[in-house]
Amino acid sequence: LYSIILFCVFLWIPFVYFYYEEKEEDDGNTCSQVKTALKYTLGFITICAVLLLIGAFVPLDIPNKKNSTEWEKVKLLFEEFGSSHGLTALSFSISSLTVIGMLAAITYTAYGMSALPLNLIKGTTSASYERLENTEDIEEVEQHLLRIKSKCRDGRPLSSRDRRTLHQLEERLRTLRRRERHLESIEKSWWTKFCEAIRPLKIVWGVFFIIVALLFTVSLFLSNLDKALHSAGFDSGFIILGTNLTNPLNMLLPVLQRVSTEMVILIHKDALLF
């Protein structure tokens, strides 16, 4: 299972991602797309090999013998690696991925808890306003196209630079017109009208989530401060006996527990009466 995880993370997923990225950017043949994807995937394979080598040789607990030579130490490394069948290397690689995933989860959770309520309160740009901006962009591109095409009205051919610019502007114009149709369908959809109707409710939810985020922030700060001041220290893992600084979350959870218990009892009574 460890090997399958490493294969997917460092080989299969990067290769598929870069293959389709290359396919979207350039409509070339399949062989060139595969070569480019393999070239970028080689970097991930190198990282995987480095993690496996570190896990194979660094974390091992080797007995320190004063009379042993350097060759005997290296030989013991390979013997230990062979006896574990590479499990130590795989475990170290998976642990490294777990640490990276934990840091990513912490970062994006913190960002999400702050960005979600602010986005709910601030709202998003309406489809009608985006359509207005898109229409202005279309008019600007069309005027630029007319200026370039007017250069060849007397029969003179366009320069290579003008032809390249003309091709880019035509591509941009097609993209803007597709976006115009997409925004028009969004503006007429029932989901957009529903989101506009519940706009006040979004603001209320945004304020609520801000309060929840502040509650978690204050509670974590007070809990860590309590451990730093009153725990037995680093050797015990900052174990604390009892609570010296009460945080809001510890006060709120027992109240919510009583409320939920009473609601379950009432629902159960209503079900029995029914």
Side-chain angles (χ1 to χ4, degrees), residues 223-242 244:
S223 177
N224 290 324
L225 182 63
D226 193 10
K227 291 180 180 180
L229 295 177
H230 305 105
S231 68
F234 175 78
D235 296 333
S236 64
F238 295 99
I239 295 175
I240 186 170
L241 302 175
N244 300 285

Side-chain angles (χ1 to χ4, degrees), residues 165-195:
T165 304
L166 185 66
H167 178 71
Q168 292 175 353
L169 289 174
E170 288 175 348
E171 288 291 332
R172 176 167 170 75
L173 184 61
R174 283 194 289 269
T175 303
L176 289 173
R177 284 174 176 169
R178 284 198 301 268
R179 188 166 183 264
E180 176 77 14
R181 293 191 294 270
H182 178 66
L183 290 173
E184 185 178 0
S185 63
I186 291 177
E187 188 178 3
K188 295 179 180 179
S189 66
W190 63 270
W191 176 252
T192 303
K193 298 176 182 178
F194 175 75
C195 291

Side-chain angles (χ1 to χ4, degrees), residues 42-246:
L42 187 61
F44 288 87
I45 296 174
T46 305
I47 295 173
C48 181
V50 170
L51 289 176
L52 289 173
L53 286 174
I54 294 174
F57 298 115
V58 173
L60 296 178
D61 187 14
I62 301 173
N64 189 12
K65 295 181 181 180
K66 295 182 179 180
N67 297 327
S68 61
T69 62
E70 294 297 327
W71 170 249
E72 290 176 346
K73 292 179 180 179
V74 173
K75 185 179 179 181
L76 184 60
L77 278 173
F78 281 97
E79 289 177 354
E80 290 288 333
F81 179 68
S83 62
S84 64
H85 302 289
L87 184 60
T88 307
L90 290 174
S91 300
F92 178 80
S93 303
I94 296 297
S95 300
S96 302
L97 293 178
T98 304
V99 170
I100 295 172
M102 181 189 69
L103 293 176
I106 292 172
T107 303
Y108 282 101
T109 301
Y111 173 77
M113 291 186 69
S114 59
L116 174 63
L118 293 178
N119 289 335
L120 287 174
I121 294 174
K122 183 177 64 175
T124 57
T125 306
S126 63
S128 58
Y129 183 77
E130 290 187 9
R131 276 192 66 193
L132 180 62
E133 289 184 339
N134 193 74
T135 302
E136 293 176 356
D137 292 339
I138 290 175
E139 293 176 354
E140 182 180 353
V141 172
E142 288 177 344
Q143 291 175 2
H144 200 173
L145 282 171
L146 289 175
R147 285 197 298 269
I148 294 177
K149 291 179 179 179
S150 63
K151 296 180 180 180
C152 61
R153 286 179 179 174
D154 56 355
R156 291 182 301 172
L158 290 174
S159 63
S160 59
R161 180 180 178 182
D162 287 337
R163 288 197 300 271
R164 186 166 57 253
T165 304
L166 185 66
H167 178 71
Q168 292 175 353
L169 289 174
E170 288 175 348
E171 288 291 332
R172 176 167 170 75
L173 184 61
R174 283 194 289 269
T175 303
L176 289 173
R177 284 174 176 169
R178 284 198 301 268
R179 188 166 183 264
E180 176 77 14
R181 293 191 294 270
H182 178 66
L183 290 173
E184 185 178 0
S185 63
I186 291 177
E187 188 178 3
K188 295 179 180 179
S189 66
W190 63 270
W191 176 252
T192 303
K193 298 176 182 178
F194 175 75
C195 291
E196 292 176 355
I198 63 171
R199 179 80 182 103
L201 186 61
K202 286 185 176 181
I203 297 176
V204 174
W205 275 108
V207 174
F208 171 75
F209 284 128
I210 285 180
I211 295 173
V212 172
L214 291 175
L215 177 66
F216 274 96
T217 303
V218 173
S219 298
L220 288 173
F221 174 76
L222 291 176
S223 177
N224 290 324
L225 182 63
D226 193 10
K227 291 180 180 180
L229 295 177
H230 305 105
S231 68
F234 175 78
D235 296 333
S236 64
F238 295 99
I239 295 175
I240 186 170
L241 302 175
T243 303
N244 300 285
L245 297 177
T246 304

Side-chain angles (χ1 to χ4, degrees), residues 246-265:
T246 304
N247 61 68
L249 194 59
N250 286 347
M251 297 170 59
L252 181 62
L253 289 177
V255 176
L256 294 177
Q257 183 184 13
R258 288 196 296 269
V259 172
S260 62
T261 304
E262 292 175 358
M263 290 180 63
V264 170
I265 292 173

